[in-house]
Amino acid sequence: MSGPTLKIARLTREAFAPFGDVIELSGAKHFAINGGTTERYHDLATVDLGPDGGRTLINVFRGQPRRLPYEVKMLERHPLGSQAFIPLKTTPYLVVVAPAGELDVSQMRAFVSDGWQGVNYARGVWHHPLLALDEVSDFVVVDRGGEGHNCDEQDLPGVYLLTQAALDAARTTKKVA
């Protein structure tokens, strides 16, 4: 395997903001409902169906674990709406993204979730397909259905590596809120 290694950072709301929303309970607006028996964590992500509408799809994706080192060779984007991934277990996973617009690999970033965090890719943000780690992982995925082509894939001009050393370095850095 050859090619540049992508640095992996801890997934935080602030670091991920240019690409969408981090879906997590820590720091989220919440309040009691149902006679005080339930906490509602409110408005965790923006579901964007695009200017031409569409309908909200709720799916379950089952991701097979990826082995490191892993070669990132392509990214995809959804030009008509957002796409959210909400893990159903506490198994960490990797996220590789680049800003919306013309694909600029120099702006590509990699993140590791803490296992409880979900992500909501903003409309048009480039991202790698699901990168489960360690074990088979299920995610609730909320995205746009309806008319129009809503998935562009683009091969990268080279190979970019996700390594165990980069993952270990991200896991040992102190989490900043």
Side-chain angles (χ1 to χ4, degrees):
M1 291 188 181
S2 63
T5 297
L6 286 171
K7 180 182 176 186
I8 300 172
R10 284 179 170 259
L11 183 63
T12 65
R13 282 188 178 100
E14 294 76 17
F16 196 74
F19 311 106
D21 308 302
V22 172
I23 302 169
E24 65 182 335
L25 303 185
S26 177
K29 181 171 51 172
H30 63 283
F31 49 89
I33 62 171
N34 299 334
T37 63
T38 304
E39 277 295 302
R40 177 177 174 154
Y41 289 82
H42 187 69
D43 200 15
L44 299 176
T46 300
V47 177
D48 180 354
L49 299 178
D52 296 328
R55 61 186 179 86
T56 304
L57 298 177
I58 297 177
N59 314 282
V60 172
F61 286 18
R62 179 162 288 157
Q64 300 301 310
R66 309 295 179 112
R67 294 185 186 264
L68 298 179
Y70 182 79
E71 294 182 342
V72 176
K73 299 177 183 178
M74 62 79 72
L75 295 179
E76 66 180 32
R77 68 177 175 185
H78 304 282
L80 301 180
S82 60
Q83 186 179 48
F85 285 76
I86 304 162
L88 294 177
K89 295 197 292 186
T90 59
T91 306
Y93 62 98
L94 293 172
V95 174
V96 176
V97 290
E102 193 69 30
L103 179 56
D104 180 357
V105 294
S106 72
Q107 299 297 310
M108 211 166 27
R109 301 274 314 271
F111 298 96
V112 59
S113 83
D114 66 8
W116 275 113
Q117 298 165 302
V119 295
N120 183 45
Y121 300 118
R123 181 169 21 120
V125 164
W126 292 97
H127 60 278
H128 193 278
L130 184 57
L131 290 164
L133 295 172
D134 303 329
E135 62 186 71
V136 173
S137 300
D138 291 340
F139 293 77
V140 170
V141 177
V142 180
D143 61 7
R144 180 193 184 279
E147 297 297 316
H149 176 77
N150 194 29
C151 186
D152 299 328
E153 294 182 357
Q154 186 167 330
D155 290 332
L156 300 179
V159 173
Y160 296 81
L161 296 178
L162 298 169
T163 66
Q164 188 65 51
L167 178 59
D168 292 344
R171 286 178 166 164
T172 60
T173 59
K174 183 175 175 157
K175 185 173 180 179
V176 178

